[in-house]
Amino acid sequence: MDIGVVLQNDPPALEIVEWAKKAEAAGFSHFWTFDSHVLWQEPYVVYSAVLGATERIVVGPMVTNPGTRDWTVTASLFATLNEMYGNRTVCGIGRGDSALRVLGLTPQTLGQLRESVQVIKGLGNGEKVTVRGNEIQFAWAAESRLEVWVAAYGPKALAITGEVGDGYILQLADPDIAEWMIAAVRKAAAAKGRDPDAVKFCVAAPAYVGDDLDHQREQTRWFGGMVGNHVADIVERYGSSGAVPRALTDYIKARQGYDYAEHGRAGNSHTTFVPDEIVDRFCVLGPVESHLKKLQQLKELGVDQFAVYLQHDAKDQTLAAYGESVIPAFG
C-alpha cells in the first residue's frame, strides 16, 4: 500500500515545495494539495516547482473540480507537467465544494462530473475526444499518461466513479464505511463491464502520531466538519434513507452552517458538533501501533493508498514517524 501526504497551498508557496522534498525523502509516494484558488494559492504552479525539485513523487489535487477551469485547460496542465517531468501526475476530481461556493456558485452536476472525467482523462492520455461537438486532441501529448481519481460519497457519484474513474478517493478512514464505499464502486465497475479490481482506492484522512489523544482530537476535529459539509448535500438529496451508511449521516444532525474561511483549519469554531467517536473513526490517531493497525485493516479491504492529511501542530513529528515506521511496514 502506498502512503501519500496532503497539504493546503498556504503561502509561502516555496515552503510547500520544501514539504514535498521532505515527503519524498521520507518515502511518501504521492504529494497532494487542496485546489481552492481563493482560499489558498494556485496549486498547479506549485506542482511544477515540486516536480522540478523532486525525482519520483507523484503530484495531484485532492481535489479539483469541473467548474473553475475549462476541462481542456485542466487536461493541458497535466499533460504539460507530464511532458516536463515524466508522467508524475494524477488528477483527483469531485463535484466541487469550497472552490465554487466561495465564488457564490454551486457544485457541478454529476453529469458534468462524468463528462469532465472522460474529457480530462482522454486528452491527458493523448487521445481524441469530443468537446462541445468538436473533436480535439493534444498532438503534442502522445506520451502523456494520466489517471483520474474521483472523490465521492453519494450513491450516484460512487456509481460514476466505478463506471469512468481510474481510482476512487474516500476522504475518511473508517474501515466499515470504506468497505461499504469500495463495494459500491466495484459493483458499478462490474456492471459497466470493467474489471472492478482495476480501480484504485485511496483513503485520505488526518493522521497524527502521538500519545495525547484529547489534543489530537482537537487538532483534527475540523475534518469531521469538512466531511459533514459534503454529507449534508447527500442528506438533502436522499434524506436518511440509508442511501449511505448511517454512521456517516447521523452525526451531522447537530450541524449548523459552515464557514469556508476556516475550511480545513485545525481548531476552527464551527466543528463543535463533531463528537469524539467520529474523530476517532474518521482519522488515524494515537501512537504508531494504532496507525499500523488501522492501515492494515484498510489494506485488507483493498485500499491501494492511504493519504495523510498533514494539517495540525505536529507535522514534522508525524511525517518522521511515518517515514521511520509506517511506510517501511507497508513497503
Side-chain angles (χ1 to χ4, degrees):
M1 182 168 68
D2 287 336
I3 308 291
V5 64
V6 189
L7 285 172
Q8 295 166 334
N9 284 298
D10 286 315
L14 290 177
E15 188 172 297
I16 302 300
V17 179
E18 291 303 311
W19 277 109
K21 290 163 67 176
K22 289 182 187 179
E24 180 172 84
F28 286 82
S29 61
H30 290 66
F31 188 80
W32 305 86
T33 74
F34 284 28
D35 178 7
S36 192
H37 64 283
V38 174
L39 298 177
W40 301 286
Q41 293 180 312
E42 168 59 32
Y44 291 98
V45 235
V46 179
Y47 295 159
S48 189
V50 166
L51 290 167
T54 57
E55 296 181 357
R56 59 164 185 82
I57 206 162
V58 175
V59 306
M62 189 174 284
V63 294
T64 192
N65 68 86
T68 52
R69 298 177 184 82
D70 185 274
W71 306 340
T72 63
V73 172
T74 298
S76 185
L77 285 166
F78 283 108
T80 301
L81 291 173
N82 283 342
E83 188 278 325
M84 293 173 70
Y85 300 108
N87 291 330
R88 291 167 54 203
T89 67
V90 59
C91 177
I93 192 168
R95 292 176 56 224
D97 180 40
S98 61
L100 292 170
R101 284 179 161 134
V102 296
L103 298 173
L105 303 172
T106 57
Q108 298 282 278
T109 67
L110 291 172
Q112 289 169 317
L113 175 62
R114 178 197 293 273
E115 188 178 357
S116 71
V117 170
Q118 294 170 308
V119 168
I120 293 167
K121 182 164 66 170
L123 290 175
N125 285 287
E127 301 168 2
K128 292 181 180 179
V129 303
T130 300
V131 182
R132 292 182 286 273
N134 297 306
E135 188 178 79
I136 62 172
Q137 182 180 25
F138 298 155
W140 46 269
E143 302 301 317
S144 175
R145 294 297 176 265
L146 176 67
E147 291 186 350
V148 180
W149 297 9
V150 184
Y153 294 106
K156 292 183 179 179
L158 292 169
I160 288 172
T161 303
E163 291 165 3
V164 301
D166 295 304
Y168 168 53
I169 297 172
L170 173 61
Q171 296 179 84
L172 57 84
D174 179 82
D176 292 335
I177 295 174
E179 183 176 22
W180 192 97
M181 298 289 189
I182 289 171
V185 171
R186 284 179 170 156
K187 180 179 179 181
K192 193 68 175 178
R194 303 180 70 199
D195 178 2
D197 293 327
V199 181
K200 296 179 180 177
F201 295 99
C202 173
V203 164
Y208 191 131
V209 176
D211 297 318
D212 188 344
L213 190 56
D214 288 338
H215 179 72
Q216 292 176 52
R217 286 168 175 158
E218 291 311 310
Q219 283 287 301
T220 57
R221 199 175 303 276
W222 63 268
F223 185 66
M226 188 185 81
V227 172
N229 196 50
H230 296 295
V231 173
D233 287 342
I234 299 170
V235 172
E236 183 177 352
R237 178 184 295 266
Y238 298 101
S240 300
S241 62
V244 295
R246 291 194 62 176
L248 188 57
T249 59
D250 283 355
Y251 83 98
I252 70 165
K253 292 176 181 177
R255 175 182 178 273
Q256 296 180 347
Y258 193 81
D259 182 359
Y260 280 97
E262 296 184 308
H263 187 62
R265 304 284 185 187
N268 63 44
S269 60
H270 58 275
T271 58
T272 54
F273 72 92
V274 182
D276 288 350
E277 177 192 2
I278 289 296
V279 179
D280 294 347
R281 292 184 67 169
F282 286 10
C283 303
V284 186
L285 310 177
V288 166
E289 293 74 20
S290 297
H291 291 246
L292 293 174
K293 181 180 179 180
K294 195 165 193 177
L295 267 57
Q296 182 62 34
Q297 289 179 283
L298 293 171
K299 181 181 178 181
E300 290 171 1
L301 294 175
V303 173
D304 299 287
Q305 180 184 158
F306 175 64
V308 177
Y309 273 98
L310 205 61
Q311 288 149 228
H312 48 64
D313 62 2
K315 294 182 179 68
D316 278 308
Q317 174 182 318
T318 299
L319 194 80
Y322 265 69
E324 293 168 5
S325 302
V326 178
I327 292 172
F330 290 96

